């Protein structure tokens, strides 16, 4: 880590790779010796055309995205995808199945209800979303239009180790906002994959959507043009002015991932980082992880202290010592360390050392 930077555990927007930030500094002023910064280039110019194509190419290479899929860079956050998915592929009389494994999954499900019927195939509500549903607790409807799954639950710190079984032939729609490209992904198992960029892929303001060709054309043509996948697929994400700088940055982050060895290498790095924290939590006498060990996320590690007062002191002391973003989501409290791809191992080691130190000086009884 370079001098002057602190340990950033924000859930998103989150830490970005330092080499990419340095390249961004240069590119903002004069990109590729074009005499203009990336923010100043026309989205219709040759340079941006290349940037757009390269970002897509990096994504395709990293995840071996098959030919029958389109890669789109859209706006409106993952939250707009909660609505765009049903607007495009759910008709009023059809049913979509949702695996409700956290607050984001629930929001996605509620949005779908505005456009068609929804069946909750499983919910983690009974365990306050600390555990993902077991196979026997998942009950799909007779013929769903699609099954929606949230691969990593950012707020509760749970993550599907593997995609659950889904009915054959039914498109799987995945919100991968908080674990996109953190591990290998078999794109062919999905109909639509979407992710807000601001955790593993780049800055906020860009959403990556990977969509199978047959789902691109499903929207009723009466739907607002900007909300139809076909509009963006036809125009290669250039129907209107796209978030040009964001797409440039996503391309650079994906290149960084490739240079580090791609998704398999990322998965190994991420597993090792997460293990450092979980191993400590499992033997700590003051901190405890909140997710069931069977469902633990390698991206967002949620943990609690013995009292809220202890937690507040921990977070405040952490800030003083140069660790930011450790406060849990406002709806659940406690602490959360988000350790996405770009979070250096060095930060994770420093965090565990700090926690050990805090435990030693603040035993449970105090
Ligand atoms: N899904 C998940 C899993 C998320 O973590 C988030 C944001 N933290 C969202 C959706 C919403 O994303 P956005 O803010 O880009 O709309």
């Amino acid at each position: 880590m370079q001098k002057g930077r602190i340990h950033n555990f924000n859930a998103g927007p989150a830490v970005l790779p330092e080499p990419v930030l340095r390249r961004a500094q240069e590119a903002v002023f004069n990109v590729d010796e074009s005499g203009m910064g990336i923010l100043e280039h026309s989205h219709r110019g040759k340079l941006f055309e290349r940037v757009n194509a390269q970002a897509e190419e990096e994504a395709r290479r990293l995840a071996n995205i098959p030919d029958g899929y389109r890669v789109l860079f859209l706006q409106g956050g993952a939250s707009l995808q909660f609505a765009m998915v049903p607007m495009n592929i759910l008709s009023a009389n059809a049913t979509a199945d949702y695996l409700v494994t956290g607050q984001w999954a629930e929001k996605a499900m509620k949005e779908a209800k505005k456009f068609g019927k929804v069946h909750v195939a499983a919910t983690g509500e009974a365990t306050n979303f600390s555990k993902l549903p077991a196979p026997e607790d998942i009950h799909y409807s007779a013929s769903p239009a699609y099954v929606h799954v949230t691969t990593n639950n950012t707020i509760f710190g749970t993550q599907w180790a593997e995609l659950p079984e889904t009915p054959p032939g039914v498109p799987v729609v995945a919100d991968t906002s908080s674990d996109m490209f953190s591990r290998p992904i078999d794109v062919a198992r999905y109909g639509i994959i979407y992710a807000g960029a601001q955790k593993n892929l780049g800055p906020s303001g860009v959403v990556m959507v990977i969509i199978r060709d047959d789902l691109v054309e499903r929207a009723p043509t009466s739907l607002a043009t900007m909300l139809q996948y076909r509009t963006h697929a036809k125009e290669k994400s250039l129907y209107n002015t796209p978030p040009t700088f964001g797409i440039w940055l996503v391309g650079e982050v994906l290149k960084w991932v490739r240079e580090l060895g791609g998704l398999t290498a990322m998965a190994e790095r991420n597993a090792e980082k997460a293990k450092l924290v979980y191993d400590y939590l499992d033997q700590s006498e003051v901190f405890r992880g909140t997710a069931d060990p069977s469902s633990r996320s390698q991206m967002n590690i949620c943990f609690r202290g013995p009292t809220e007062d202890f937690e507040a002191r921990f977070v405040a002391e952490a800030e003083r010592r140069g660790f930011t973003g450790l406060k849990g989501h406002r709806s659940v409290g406690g602490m959360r360390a988000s350790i996405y791809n770009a979070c250096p191992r060095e930060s994770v080691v420093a965090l565990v050392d700090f926690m050990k130190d805090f435990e030693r000086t603040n035993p449970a009884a105090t």
Side-chain angles (χ1 to χ4, degrees):
M1 269 172 67
Q2 294 200 9
K3 199 161 174 287
R5 302 218 351 128
I6 61 171
H7 299 294
N8 180 353
F9 295 96
N10 279 327
V15 61
L16 286 163
E18 287 187 349
V20 172
L21 293 176
R22 288 297 189 199
R23 271 205 292 280
Q25 280 184 315
E26 180 55 34
V28 163
F29 197 70
N30 184 356
V31 63
D32 293 352
E33 296 177 359
S34 63
M36 287 192 277
I38 179 65
L39 291 157
E40 303 167 293
H41 271 271
S42 164
H43 64 296
R44 303 284 173 211
K46 281 261 171 303
L47 184 133
F48 187 73
E49 220 173 77
R50 194 168 71 236
V51 165
N52 197 38
Q54 269 170 1
E56 171 172 351
E57 189 48 38
E58 288 290 355
R60 287 194 173 277
R61 240 205 284 188
L62 267 187
N64 283 324
I65 301 175
D67 280 347
Y69 286 79
R70 312 298 295 260
V71 179
L72 310 176
F73 299 110
L74 307 183
Q75 300 187 65
S79 299
L80 184 58
Q81 295 308 305
F82 295 168
M84 260 178 88
V85 166
M87 282 175 169
N88 278 260
I89 68 168
L90 182 63
S91 48
N93 293 321
T95 302
D97 284 13
Y98 277 72
L99 296 164
V100 179
T101 51
Q103 286 183 30
W104 296 111
E106 191 170 17
K107 281 196 169 146
M109 180 272 286
K110 286 190 173 153
E111 205 64 15
K113 272 191 184 164
K114 296 177 191 276
F115 306 101
K117 297 193 190 115
V118 160
H119 167 74
V120 174
T123 171
E125 218 170 348
T127 61
N128 193 29
F129 301 110
S130 62
K131 201 174 170 188
L132 291 166
E136 61 273 21
D137 296 329
I138 302 176
H139 305 287
Y140 295 112
S141 65
S143 62
Y146 63 88
V147 171
H148 184 281
V149 56
T150 309
T151 51
N152 184 78
N153 299 283
T154 325
I155 295 174
F156 296 99
T158 62
Q159 182 180 27
W160 291 96
E162 303 217 346
L163 190 63
E165 287 284 322
T166 53
V170 174
V172 176
V173 176
D175 175 0
T176 61
S177 290
S178 47
D179 66 355
M180 187 69 169
F181 292 165
S182 67
R183 56 183 179 177
I185 179 166
D186 181 4
V187 173
R189 282 208 59 193
Y190 300 84
I192 301 176
I193 298 167
Y194 63 89
Q198 65 271 23
K199 297 160 199 299
N200 273 313
L201 306 177
S204 57
V206 186
V207 185
M208 183 184 283
V209 176
I210 303 174
I211 178 168
R212 213 171 61 202
D213 283 345
D214 61 298
L215 302 173
V216 166
E217 294 293 338
R218 291 270 188 91
T221 47
S222 58
L223 185 62
T225 313
M226 275 292 284
L227 299 176
Q228 299 180 31
Y229 288 122
R230 68 163 69 76
T231 304
H232 303 288
K234 204 158 80 199
E235 304 290 339
K236 292 187 183 300
S237 311
L238 289 168
Y239 168 72
N240 72 325
T241 318
T244 51
F245 178 61
I247 295 171
W248 178 87
L249 200 59
V250 168
E252 291 294 317
V253 170
L254 300 188
K255 191 164 130 209
W256 172 83
V257 172
R258 172 165 57 83
E259 287 168 357
L260 281 176
L263 302 189
T264 307
M266 272 302 136
E268 281 166 14
R269 273 167 60 113
N270 289 329
E272 206 248 341
K273 285 187 296 182
K275 188 170 183 306
L276 289 170
V277 186
Y278 285 123
D279 281 354
Y280 165 65
L281 287 174
D282 285 344
Q283 54 79 62
S284 169
E285 303 208 338
V286 292
F287 296 108
R288 68 192 153 80
T290 56
D292 188 271
S294 66
S295 307
R296 283 173 166 174
S297 168
Q298 308 213 322
M299 298 278 100
N300 311 97
I301 301 181
C302 297
F303 57 100
R304 306 250 18 180
T307 64
E308 286 188 9
D309 173 63
F310 178 101
E311 293 174 343
R313 279 188 288 121
F314 172 76
V315 171
E317 180 62 14
E319 285 286 345
R320 270 195 294 280
R321 300 253 218 122
F323 299 89
T324 200
L326 288 169
K327 206 167 177 336
H329 190 270
R330 59 190 184 282
S331 62
V332 295
M335 279 81 70
R336 169 175 60 176
S338 297
I339 54 170
Y340 304 121
N341 285 351
C343 176
R345 181 180 191 276
E346 185 188 339
S347 288
V348 177
V349 170
L351 172 64
V352 173
D353 284 348
F354 167 63
M355 289 170 75
K356 285 181 184 162
D357 198 39
F358 193 86
E359 175 166 1
R360 202 165 42 241
T361 49
N362 296 269
T366 66

